[in-house]
Amino acid sequence: MALPTSRVLLGFQDVVLEGKASSWDVSKIGGLPDAVPHVKLSFPSCPLCSSVLCHVVQVYCPLEGSRYHRTIHVFACSTKSCWGKPHSWVALRSQCLETHNPQVTQEVPKQEEKLAATDWCEDANDWGFDEDEPQVAPVQSHATSGPAAPVPTDCTSQLQNLSLTDTSETIQSSDSAFRSYYIAVAEEEDCSWDVDLDHARRLLKDYEKREASVMDLDLESCDGKGEAEKYEKCDLQNRDLVFHKFMKKISPCRQQILRYSWNGNPLYMSPPDKASQPLPCTRCGAQRVYEFQVMPALVAMLQGSKADMLVEFGTVLIFTCERSCWEDDDKIPVQEFCIVQEDPDQRYFH
């Protein structure tokens, strides 16, 4: 039976991966990205400073009913002047045929309709490991892939600033990558840990006291001050309310480094900018849906061998093609859409 669309899976730092064999069909923090079979994975370069982007996370996330394995790689620029800027983040989706799964038939009828929001939930509890094994890989579920639609010409501009470098030609090694860990997965409803609740509640109370004057703003406080000042005060109130909601939502489990809910509801840290709304898929023209986001707790875990290898952010939300468009002979990853939000108060996540 399909699970509710609001179901959220949380990712956490697991055992260190350094010195161990890695594969494209596991999820991990940092390290070097693992290429999906038959796909030419490249390191994107930052369009702002031309630096090669660092690999942040690899998420193995096939969706229910598809013939394809599916992995998303997220990259970011470690140059300080690029932090918090959306162009300095890139998400690349790669897929390949699931030829070794006897339960998946090769004769799948073409589907014109978009993916059902609950499709990936059908077998979400089966994530490729036994109950007695450590949880080191995310969702082993699959998504339906619809046929590719013509690419609208007004979407192609999104790729103009993206520079790709072949991995075989890039000076990129484990010495210039973030330390790598497996990602363990659990359902959000199972992650209310008392050891963190007291600390989280204290932080929330401190925040509420500090922002009380803003949180208590009402329409009367905005009247007679001029339209510009009224807008600024109400906008500040709105931003604080969104941040308060963010803090309250993650307070039972601040260690989460990733939230996954395909076609679910994103958790914004600040009100989303209308100008940064997800654009249609640059490959097929379909709408993009929220799939997952990386969380502030990940910042402290992105440590490289070089002192200047750092990335600061609040949360980064990844929106992907609702069709998960892909052809059997595709060799190049599809770039998806990232929304980057800066952290208004990083001290709450340390």
Side-chain angles (χ1 to χ4, degrees):
M1 182 177 73
L3 296 175
T5 57
S6 59
R7 183 169 183 261
V8 177
L9 305 175
L10 303 183
F12 305 92
Q13 175 186 312
D14 204 345
V15 297
V16 66
L17 186 54
E18 292 175 351
K20 301 177 183 178
S22 180
S23 174
W24 54 270
D25 58 354
V26 300
S27 290
K28 66 180 183 179
I29 299 168
L32 298 179
D34 300 302
V36 171
H38 312 300
V39 175
K40 186 178 181 180
L41 183 63
S42 301
F43 287 96
S45 295
C46 179
L48 304 178
C49 70
S50 301
S51 298
V52 175
L53 301 186
C54 299
H55 183 238
V56 177
V57 292
Q58 171 179 300
V59 181
Y60 177 62
C61 49
L63 302 173
E64 182 63 33
S66 176
R67 300 179 297 157
Y68 297 104
H69 291 285
R70 185 170 175 272
T71 299
I72 297 175
H73 295 94
V74 180
F75 302 83
C77 185
S78 61
T79 303
K80 188 173 183 178
S81 60
C82 297
W83 292 352
K85 299 180 180 180
H87 293 299
S88 66
W89 287 77
V90 171
L92 299 179
R93 170 172 54 87
S94 301
Q95 299 181 198
C96 70
L97 282 170
E98 196 176 38
T99 55
H100 301 296
N101 189 340
Q103 297 179 348
V104 178
T105 60
Q106 295 299 319
E107 297 298 327
V108 177
K110 292 185 177 180
Q111 300 184 11
E112 298 291 338
E113 69 277 6
K114 66 181 182 180
L115 303 179
T118 56
D119 282 351
W120 69 278
C121 296
E122 290 289 348
D123 299 308
N125 288 330
D126 180 13
W127 291 356
F129 47 77
D130 296 329
E131 292 183 358
D132 295 333
E133 295 179 350
Q135 300 179 0
V136 296
V139 197
Q140 295 284 342
S141 39
H142 313 75
T144 313
S145 176
V151 179
T153 55
D154 59 348
C155 293
T156 57
S157 60
Q158 188 180 3
L159 294 177
Q160 289 179 354
N161 294 327
L162 179 64
S163 173
L164 297 178
T165 306
D166 192 340
T167 54
S168 63
E169 300 174 356
T170 301
I171 303 176
Q172 181 101 2
S173 67
S174 57
D175 293 334
S176 57
F178 292 123
R179 192 177 188 188
S180 188
Y181 302 88
Y182 283 113
I183 296 178
V185 183
E187 294 195 35
E188 184 177 38
E189 61 186 19
D190 296 331
C191 295
S192 294
W193 298 324
D194 293 337
V195 66
D196 300 308
L197 283 178
D198 289 341
H199 179 62
R201 288 177 183 136
R202 286 195 300 271
L203 291 177
L204 279 174
K205 287 181 180 179
D206 290 343
Y207 174 77
E208 289 168 352
K209 290 178 181 178
R210 184 167 57 86
E211 302 295 336
S213 60
V214 177
M215 298 294 290
D216 292 337
L217 281 175
D218 52 24
L219 291 178
E220 183 179 352
S221 67
C222 294
D223 290 339
K225 301 293 186 179
E227 290 300 322
E229 186 174 352
K230 176 180 177 180
Y231 174 81
E232 290 175 0
K233 286 184 177 180
C234 293
D235 182 60
L236 180 61
Q237 180 188 33
N238 187 33
R239 284 188 279 115
D240 282 329
L241 286 171
V242 173
F243 182 62
H244 182 269
K245 180 180 178 181
F246 182 94
M247 288 293 300
K248 185 176 181 180
K249 186 68 174 178
I250 72 170
S251 62
C253 187
R254 292 181 304 111
Q255 296 95 331
Q256 58 186 278
I257 56 96
L258 186 146
R259 295 176 65 87
Y260 186 98
S261 182
W262 191 87
N263 203 13
N265 298 316
L267 183 60
Y268 290 103
M269 180 173 278
S270 58
D273 186 349
K274 292 182 179 180
S276 65
Q277 293 302 307
L279 297 176
C281 176
T282 56
R283 185 181 185 275
C284 74
Q287 293 183 352
R288 284 191 172 101
V289 297
Y290 168 79
E291 182 155 352
F292 67 90
Q293 66 192 96
V294 292
M295 302 295 286
L298 180 61
V299 172
M301 302 171 193
L302 295 177
Q303 301 175 351
S305 57
K306 301 178 181 178
D308 59 348
M309 274 197 67
L310 300 170
V311 175
E312 288 281 357
F313 60 91
T315 185
V316 181
L317 304 98
I318 311 299
F319 291 78
T320 61
C321 174
E322 65 179 355
R323 296 181 180 178
S324 194
C325 60
W326 193 265
E327 300 294 336
D328 293 356
D329 57 353
D330 283 343
K331 306 294 183 184
I332 304 298
V334 178
Q335 185 186 8
E336 297 293 9
F337 195 89
C338 302
I339 294 180
V340 181
Q341 295 193 320
E342 294 186 88
D343 178 13
D345 202 336
Q346 183 66 33
R347 71 189 179 90
Y348 282 97
F349 304 103
H350 291 307

